[in-house]
Amino acid sequence: MRTLNKVVGAWQRKPGIQKPGKLHPSAVWAEAVGTAGEFVAPAWAKVRELWLRFAWPVLSVVSVLGWVVLAAAIGLWIAGQAWGWQEAKSAAMVAFLLFVLAVGFIVGRSAYGVVLDLARTRVAVGDDAVGSIAVSNPSARPLLPAALELPVGAATAIFHLPRMKPAQVHEDLFTIPTARRAVIVVGPVRSVRADPLHLLRRRVLWTEPVDLFVHPRTVPLGGSAAGFIRDLEGMPTTELSSADVSFHALRDYVPGDDRRHIHWKTTARTNKLMVRQFEETRRAHLAISLSINTDEYDSESEFEMAISVAASIGRQAIREQRELDVLTQKGPLRCETGRNLLDDMTRIVGAPLRKTAVDLARNLSDTVPNASVVFFVVGSHVTATQLRTAAASVPPGVRSLAVRVQPGAAPSRANIADLTVLTVGDLDDLAIVLRKAAA
């Protein structure tokens, strides 16, 4: 019997011979839902479009208090009809009358000329972000006092307009706090008309929203970067070449060598052809690895300082017209211009991640294989062992530096094998530790 079972089992396992399968109920249900969704999706999209175009603009005018009063009025009227309560009917009629009166406060067209102007759409943390709202009355009749709302991020500023004569212009100035790195959406400016009880509330948009970029704070590095990023003749390597700009030595002529590289003085002295031997050089190419894994940082201020350090080094490289690549766990940043780099730095959001600074270093080596100088910008929770592992992923001949951010620490320099570890306790110390790295 056991032998027969083995034979049957082997027969069932033969390729091309399978037992007839059964449809699982969940698979049938999933297929039915998918098929129904293909038919329902177009109709649902049409209904949603009609709702947003016609119904929602009307229903959104009614406030929460207005819906409560309207529901109470309907309930009182039904109760009055059912049990003959005249008091309930009277209360329902009063509520309906209030709604009719409220409609009179929001009906009508407002004629405003509104201009939202931000002096600068890109500022650094701590700088003043100043803007203005200029409101004019282009109509031929006076406009009653009203209120304008200006959303600024999650907050809303309210500006009160006085009674405005025809062609009159009213201007208000405002300042936006820039204590933190962020992309703040300013606007759109909207006028608000409401009844005294705020049963109905009508908003009209007058401008488009504007993005205000609060860039991370950066410090100028000046000539401190030139000490370790040599770009005059390129960075020499140990690989020899028959044609380059970095002279290495002389060697015997080999058939096929370029005759332009024959050193005639030595040839005349030794009575045999000698050619110049060069070292291969390469243009300075910076690669910055910025870890955004918040588990590697002690605090939010430490994380922000790391972003400022990476932004300062990257901005200096762009100013000196060097090739630059900046990489985080979420992918590369734009480095075409300083503005693009700082804009992407502003959009960075830190979070606990599975990928560590070591994983990012390995990815950087694969993404930027032609880098000549590599920076690892990490937090204080990254250990020396992790830094050694990150440096091991850097190809030979590439100079690697780790900038370890630790607020309050004294600026210092240490070496872990071929890796130079720079400790930064304050952003203003960055130029100092870079000079130490160049020493």
Side-chain angles (χ1 to χ4, degrees):
M1 188 64 179
R2 292 180 181 177
T3 305
L4 181 61
N5 290 337
K6 291 181 180 179
V7 173
V8 173
W11 173 79
Q12 291 177 347
R13 288 193 297 269
K14 287 183 180 180
I17 304 178
Q18 299 180 355
K19 296 177 64 178
K22 295 182 178 180
L23 291 176
H24 197 275
S26 60
V28 176
W29 176 255
E31 185 69 21
V33 171
T35 304
E38 294 179 359
F39 289 97
V40 175
W44 172 252
K46 186 65 175 178
V47 171
R48 186 174 181 274
E49 180 184 356
L50 295 176
W51 170 269
L52 294 177
R53 184 175 181 181
F54 298 104
W56 177 247
V58 176
L59 298 178
S60 62
V61 172
V62 185
S63 64
V64 176
L65 178 61
W67 286 114
V68 172
V69 173
L70 183 60
I74 295 174
L76 289 173
W77 182 263
I78 294 175
Q81 286 290 98
W83 291 289
W85 292 350
Q86 298 301 323
E87 295 82 358
K89 291 183 179 181
S90 300
M93 294 179 64
V94 171
F96 283 120
L97 181 60
L98 290 176
F99 258 87
V100 173
L101 295 177
V103 171
F105 284 90
I106 66 170
V107 169
R109 298 182 61 183
S110 298
Y112 290 111
V114 182
V115 177
L116 173 63
D117 180 32
L118 293 180
R120 292 185 297 168
T121 57
R122 286 167 174 82
V123 297
V125 172
D127 293 347
D128 293 332
V130 182
S132 65
I133 296 179
V135 183
S136 60
N137 179 10
S139 64
R141 57 184 179 83
L143 294 178
L144 296 177
L148 291 182
E149 291 184 348
L150 176 65
V152 181
T156 301
I158 299 177
F159 300 88
H160 296 282
L161 296 179
R163 185 177 183 274
M164 299 179 62
K165 299 178 181 179
Q168 183 180 350
V169 178
H170 177 79
E171 185 175 6
D172 280 316
L173 300 178
F174 59 89
T175 303
I176 301 175
T178 59
R180 298 183 59 184
R181 175 183 58 89
V183 180
I184 303 175
V185 180
V186 182
V189 179
R190 59 200 183 199
S191 62
V192 180
R193 301 180 65 177
D195 62 282
L197 297 179
H198 292 276
L199 299 179
L200 303 180
R201 182 181 177 89
R202 181 186 173 192
R203 296 177 178 177
V204 180
L205 304 182
W206 297 100
T207 64
E208 296 293 330
V210 179
D211 289 336
L212 172 64
F213 287 84
V214 183
H215 288 161
R217 191 170 75 92
T218 58
V219 292
L221 302 182
S224 61
F228 55 88
I229 309 172
R230 289 170 292 175
D231 198 24
L232 181 59
E233 294 182 345
M235 297 188 67
T237 68
T238 58
E239 299 178 4
L240 300 180
S241 173
S242 59
D244 215 310
V245 294
S246 182
F247 176 74
H248 176 63
L250 295 174
R251 63 171 175 81
D252 293 338
Y253 175 83
V254 177
D257 287 341
D258 193 341
R259 295 185 179 182
R260 292 176 300 176
H261 296 149
I262 296 176
H263 196 266
W264 294 107
K265 290 184 179 181
T266 305
T267 299
R269 187 173 63 251
T270 60
N271 202 24
K272 61 178 179 179
L273 290 175
M274 301 293 292
V275 296
R276 297 180 181 90
Q277 180 74 60
F278 300 91
E279 285 182 330
E280 286 190 357
T281 59
R282 55 189 171 193
R283 299 281 293 177
H285 186 161
L286 267 70
I288 300 176
S289 164
L290 172 62
S291 177
I292 59 173
N293 185 355
T294 54
D295 291 338
E296 298 175 346
Y297 297 90
D298 187 60
S299 61
E300 182 180 354
S301 60
E302 184 174 296
F303 177 68
E304 293 297 326
M305 187 187 299
I307 294 178
S308 295
V309 166
S312 299
I313 298 174
R315 192 177 186 185
Q316 183 67 28
I318 293 175
R319 284 176 177 174
E320 297 179 2
Q321 298 182 350
R322 291 186 167 88
E323 296 184 41
L324 175 67
D325 282 279
V326 181
L327 195 67
T328 69
Q329 282 91 338
K330 294 296 181 65
L333 305 184
R334 296 178 299 166
C335 303
E336 296 85 3
T337 62
R339 170 180 286 191
N340 289 343
L341 175 63
L342 292 178
D343 284 353
D344 283 3
M345 287 282 187
T346 305
R347 294 189 179 98
I348 289 177
V349 178
L353 302 172
R354 296 182 59 184
K355 292 185 178 180
T356 63
V358 176
D359 300 323
L360 181 59
R362 293 167 179 164
N363 189 20
L364 181 70
S365 301
D366 296 335
T367 306
V368 193
N370 56 340
S372 58
V373 180
V374 174
F375 282 92
F376 303 121
V377 182
V378 298
S380 60
H381 289 180
V382 177
T383 63
T385 303
Q386 290 176 310
L387 290 177
R388 187 183 298 108
T389 305
S393 62
V394 178
V398 178
R399 184 164 189 185
S400 56
L401 303 96
V403 182
R404 191 168 177 268
V405 177
Q406 187 175 2
S412 62
R413 170 189 171 179
N415 291 323
I416 302 177
D418 294 333
L419 176 67
T420 302
V421 181
L422 308 174
T423 301
V424 178
D426 188 86
L427 184 60
D428 294 329
D429 297 336
L430 181 59
I432 298 175
V433 296
L434 290 181
R435 292 192 192 100
K436 290 184 178 181

